[in-house]
Amino acid sequence: MGKPSVLSGIQPTADSFHIGNYFGALRQWVQMQDTHDCFYTVVDLHAITSEFDPKILKKRTLTSFAQLLAVGIDSLKSTLFVQSQVPQHAQLAWVLSCFTGFGEAGRMTQFKDKTQKGGQERSSVGLFTYPILQAADILLYQAQSVPVGEDQRQHLELTRDLAIRFNNQFGKTFVVPEAFIVKESAKILDLQDPTAKMSKSSPQGCVFILDEPDVVMKKFKTALTDSGKEIKYDPTNKPGISNLLSIIKAVTNEDMTTIESQFVNKGYGDLKIYTGELVVEKIIKPFREKTMTLLADENQLNSLMNDGAQKAEKVAAATLKSVYEKVGF
Ligand code: TYM
């Protein structure tokens, strides 16, 4: 028996990943490489569902690929590839879209949130069917486990429903995958608004992996904290402080009581500086430097992309072939 399979993806929709992506997903991607057969993809097909610029998209895809290598994805252990270079993703997405109810797709909360912000007239059909493409990404590789942050849970439920539906109608075709969500770091919050998840759409509250260290320190120093003085993990009453404590825990892996005990008789300012310095030393500096080095050799990155796409396509083609046969193509 081979190792169980994993697939996960990340969008190249910003100039840099942020620490929410890292703690919520990428760190688990790295860890799973030793125990699983891993497929990791930069999902550029997903990135054109909202407004985009082709030149910027291309650059971001390359930078995203480099960042995945920099955080520890090993192209010898894992299959690392760019989604648009493996045509089976779009092909399977079409078939699956014919098995998805219109109302079912309409219940996806991420679509509802995004259309509420941009207005339904300005939203593309691609944005609406995006979770079906995500299901195709996962099902093509027969992934058992999908390491993601909390915001992807509903998309994983849809993926499971589609796999089960297809299997029931045509016989076992897909592995039914499970979301792998690490509770403590499943939702890193915005430093300026600790009621919202950290996201590139709020750059002041978002710590990007490729930010300059002094920019990172400034973001931590100006983080919104709560009333009172005590440094205690209490997400309901102290969301800002608790978010900083969760970030420390995500980096050091200490238990929360040990972390809290280091801040007895200290102030919020001390906590902010401590967290900022920790993130700069352990995350920003090493990953930033490694990414820059990798980006200096574009030919090598392109060659790794080609290799990854070829490896991925072999697996994806086998799944698509069985799907095509089953539906009568
Ligand atoms: P994306 O590109 O928005 O985010 C990539 C990963 O980062 C996680 N994440 C967070 N985790 C904790 N705290 C946060 N503040 C935070 N922000 C983002 C996300 O949960 C995700 O795991 N639809 C997906 C991309 C995708 C995909 C896939 C994922 C496409 N196909 C197949 C898994 C499997 C997305 O937009 O992630």
Side-chain angles (χ1 to χ4, degrees):
M1 272 262 297
K3 292 177 187 167
S5 297
V6 159
L7 176 124
S8 200
I10 188 160
Q11 294 201 57
T13 41
D15 294 330
S16 167
F17 298 149
H18 55 73
I19 61 169
N21 299 134
Y22 182 69
F23 293 127
L26 303 183
R27 200 171 42 158
Q28 284 68 256
W29 294 20
V30 173
Q31 286 164 354
M32 291 174 107
Q33 294 184 108
D34 292 324
T35 46
H36 292 72
D37 188 13
C38 298
F39 294 85
Y40 296 129
T41 176
V42 176
V43 293
D44 55 347
L45 296 177
H46 282 88
I48 66 165
T49 54
S50 303
E51 228 171 287
F52 71 101
D53 172 313
K55 276 209 190 87
I56 298 176
L57 174 62
K58 211 174 176 71
K59 184 161 178 279
R60 286 176 170 176
T61 300
L62 192 78
T63 313
S64 299
F65 197 85
Q67 282 181 90
L68 291 178
L69 293 166
V71 303
I73 303 302
D74 179 342
S75 60
L76 294 175
K77 284 188 196 161
S78 299
T79 304
L80 177 62
F81 66 100
V82 175
Q83 186 190 30
S84 65
Q85 296 179 359
V86 181
Q88 288 80 5
H89 290 251
Q91 292 173 295
L92 181 61
W94 174 256
V95 176
L96 293 178
S97 72
C98 299
F99 288 83
T100 311
F102 195 82
E104 191 177 27
R107 283 193 290 277
M108 295 293 118
T109 53
Q110 245 188 23
F111 174 76
K112 286 198 262 185
D113 290 350
K114 286 195 181 170
T115 44
Q116 234 165 30
K117 281 178 205 148
Q120 208 166 61
E121 276 311 307
R122 292 188 54 211
S123 301
S124 69
V125 173
L127 184 65
F128 184 68
T129 57
Y130 164 122
I132 305 170
L133 178 60
Q134 180 165 352
D137 299 340
I138 297 166
L139 300 181
L140 275 176
Y141 301 92
Q142 307 290 358
Q144 264 122 308
S145 186
V146 184
V148 284
E150 181 60 41
D151 59 350
Q152 299 300 315
R153 193 184 285 279
Q154 199 188 23
H155 293 165
L156 261 294
E157 280 306 314
L158 176 71
T159 305
R160 289 171 57 82
D161 289 345
L162 289 173
I164 293 168
R165 192 171 302 156
F166 197 94
N167 287 348
N168 284 344
Q169 193 167 339
F170 297 101
K172 178 115 178 45
T173 310
F174 298 122
V175 167
V176 181
E178 286 194 35
F180 177 68
I181 299 175
V182 174
K183 193 164 163 273
E184 291 97 343
S185 54
K187 194 172 174 190
I188 302 293
L189 303 173
D190 186 313
L191 295 185
Q192 289 300 320
D193 173 12
T195 60
K197 75 165 180 185
M198 182 175 283
S199 139
K200 59 184 178 282
S201 56
S202 156
Q204 282 322 306
C206 182
V207 177
F208 293 100
I209 286 176
L210 300 183
D211 273 342
E212 299 270 359
D214 56 340
V215 172
V216 174
M217 283 312 293
K218 194 161 167 230
K219 287 181 180 174
F220 275 101
K221 282 182 188 162
T222 55
L224 190 80
T225 39
D226 317 292
S227 57
K229 283 195 178 133
E230 203 190 353
I231 296 175
K232 200 167 123 270
Y233 184 74
D234 177 358
T236 314
N237 300 309
K238 288 175 170 277
I241 292 298
S242 303
N243 190 35
L244 294 176
L245 292 169
S246 301
I247 292 172
I248 298 177
K249 184 168 165 41
V251 181
T252 64
N253 215 5
E254 294 164 303
D255 60 57
M256 204 45 100
T257 359
T258 313
I259 298 171
E260 284 170 345
S261 69
Q262 294 167 43
F263 293 99
V264 178
N265 298 327
K266 296 237 169 90
Y268 286 175
D270 301 313
L271 174 68
K272 292 186 201 180
I273 291 172
Y274 180 87
T275 318
E277 285 175 349
L278 192 67
V279 168
V280 165
E281 287 309 315
K282 301 281 184 211
I283 310 285
I284 307 296
K285 278 192 185 163
F287 294 164
R288 194 168 183 277
E289 210 169 285
K290 191 87 203 286
T291 306
M292 298 306 171
T293 311
L294 287 160
L295 281 171
D297 191 349
E298 224 174 279
N299 287 339
Q300 199 208 345
L301 289 173
N302 284 323
S303 143
L304 289 175
M305 273 183 197
N306 280 334
D307 294 351
Q310 279 183 26
K311 264 165 77 187
E313 186 162 357
K314 282 205 184 105
V315 181
T319 306
L320 189 74
K321 183 167 182 279
S322 95
V323 170
Y324 269 28
E325 279 167 10
K326 285 182 174 159
V327 299
F329 290 164

